[in-house]
Amino acid sequence: MQTGIASLSAAPTLGELLPVLLGGSELTRSEAAQLVNAMLSSDAPDAQIAAVLALLVNKGESSDELAGFADALYQHALPISIPGEVLDTAGTGASPAKTFNVSSAASFVIAAAGCAIAKHGGRAATSRSGSADVLTALGVRIDCEPETAIRCLRELGICFLFAPKYHPALARVAPIRKALGIRTTFNLVGPMVNPCGAKYRLLGVADEARMNDVAGALAQLGVARAWVLRGNDGLDEITTACSSRVLDVHDGRTCELSVSPTDFGISMRPTDTARAGSVDENAATVRAVLSGARHDVARDLVVLNAAAALHVRTGDGLRECAERAQKAIDDGAAFKKLEALITMSHSTEGAAR
């Protein structure tokens, strides 16, 4: 594909790249990485960064471009010595169907069911409560040092990797993204760039039109397996209200699936009572589900999404994974994981003993 970038310098400036985007050309993976590096430069004018972000959204990012963005962000990321054979669950946000923070609750169930999870996330960008917000409200220290996160994963099977800590270069564009007030490429790429390069992913995408590109980018990034998913009610999770569309990325190939709550042995029902507005309401719902106090649709959503993640990691059947998730809640193991993470995340003891 002719883009015009080939004639530019080895490390083009944003001013050199901007006319290429204005012409409507798509970038190759390496060109997209160059674009990110140019945006993150301290010399890049804010107005040019804003223009690039708006042009990309208007054009629609390709899978090559998303993969290139991820490549560049990995180059700038703070490294952490966690093996990639772990799970991560995340979402791009902006779902019109608002529920409590399902993926954060599910992460404790996943760990209690025996699969290690290095959950990567930040504060809310398109909702009232992001994963970092709800975990903070629950008492978890979200910005603990890498050595503490490593210890949490090793001893508890779960840790939280706070995006701003591991992707400090993104501070350069954060105020520009906020001022734009629209979804940008970083909303799609952020959930892809787990600092430890997690090989197993459950990634919710609220915008159905972007699912194929996100799945294609994950395939290029070399994940072992991922489910890129969206409830057909607009939820960026596996939903209880209807079927959910899934793009199953496995060893570089993608196939499309449709899954229903009944495939997990769970009844179909609306998600209305699983809504939570404030951060404190989110935290209260997560705590109630994990403690076994709720036996309603909020619990079902957590079980569904934990089971989907367990299936992605193990290949076991959906019903079997759902039973494991339910057991992890019923026997108190999931709630104990939360309590243990709260304690250990505040520990000053390093990874080495």
Side-chain angles (χ1 to χ4, degrees):
M1 179 187 299
Q2 181 62 41
T3 66
I5 291 183
S7 62
L8 300 179
S9 58
T13 66
L14 208 54
E16 291 176 304
L17 293 166
L18 192 53
V20 179
L21 290 174
L22 282 167
S25 297
E26 288 198 353
L27 308 180
T28 65
R29 181 174 176 176
S30 62
E31 291 165 353
Q34 286 182 320
L35 181 66
V36 175
N37 288 328
M39 277 195 288
L40 297 180
S41 169
S42 60
D43 297 329
D46 288 2
Q48 290 184 355
I49 295 173
V52 165
L53 293 174
L55 285 167
L56 284 168
V57 171
N58 185 63
K59 178 183 74 66
E61 306 90 340
S62 69
S63 58
D64 285 347
E65 290 168 339
L66 292 174
F69 261 64
D71 290 338
L73 292 182
Y74 271 128
Q75 290 170 10
H76 290 277
L78 177 70
I80 183 167
S81 298
I82 290 177
E85 300 299 309
V86 295
L87 272 163
D88 186 18
T89 62
T92 60
S95 169
K98 302 295 184 185
T99 61
F100 73 102
N101 201 292
V102 174
S103 65
S104 294
S107 64
F108 295 100
V109 178
I110 292 162
C115 285
I117 177 166
K119 182 161 176 58
H120 171 233
R123 297 197 182 278
T126 60
S127 66
R128 294 184 184 179
S129 179
S131 56
D133 301 302
V134 73
L135 289 174
T136 298
L138 287 164
V140 176
R141 182 179 175 185
I142 59 171
D143 62 346
C144 64
E145 292 304 309
E147 294 78 11
T148 301
I150 292 169
R151 181 186 171 210
C152 289
L153 186 71
R154 185 182 68 236
E155 297 186 19
L156 306 179
I158 185 171
C159 68
F160 184 72
L161 305 178
F162 186 41
K165 187 176 188 70
Y166 292 92
H167 296 287
L170 285 177
R172 171 69 187 89
V173 298
I176 301 169
R177 293 172 61 195
K178 184 175 182 179
L180 279 173
I182 59 172
R183 191 277 301 168
T184 72
T185 308
F186 291 108
N187 293 93
L188 292 177
V189 176
M192 297 186 201
V193 288
N194 183 296
C196 71
K199 294 291 186 182
Y200 298 88
R201 310 289 187 96
L202 201 70
L203 205 165
V205 179
D207 185 352
E208 187 172 12
R210 308 320 317 279
M211 289 179 66
N212 285 308
D213 291 321
V214 170
L218 285 174
Q220 291 188 53
L221 292 171
V223 299
R225 193 173 187 192
W227 268 22
V228 177
L229 55 90
R230 176 186 181 274
N232 288 325
D233 57 351
L235 191 65
D236 61 346
E237 316 273 3
I238 301 289
T239 183
T240 58
C242 54
S243 62
S244 297
R245 182 187 179 206
V246 174
L247 298 180
D248 187 352
V249 181
H250 194 188
D251 293 334
R253 300 182 300 275
T254 301
C255 66
E256 183 165 344
L257 309 171
S258 178
V259 298
S260 167
T262 57
D263 295 327
F264 297 79
I266 291 176
S267 299
M268 193 177 294
R269 51 177 160 173
T271 61
D272 296 350
T273 58
R275 298 183 185 278
S278 70
V279 173
D280 288 340
E281 288 173 346
N282 266 271
T285 301
V286 171
R287 186 175 288 275
V289 170
L290 296 181
S291 68
R294 289 188 66 158
H295 290 269
D296 58 1
V297 69
R299 172 187 164 112
D300 287 350
L301 283 167
V302 172
V303 169
L304 280 176
N305 286 277
L310 294 171
H311 170 75
V312 165
R313 181 64 183 89
T314 66
D316 294 336
L318 298 179
R319 284 178 179 258
E320 178 183 347
C321 290
E323 290 171 359
R324 288 171 61 190
Q326 290 168 333
K327 183 177 184 298
I329 297 172
D330 291 339
D331 66 10
F335 191 70
K336 287 178 182 176
K337 290 291 182 184
L338 169 61
E339 292 182 314
L341 184 64
I342 291 169
T343 300
M344 194 172 289
S345 65
H346 287 274
S347 170
T348 57
E349 182 180 351
R353 288 191 165 187

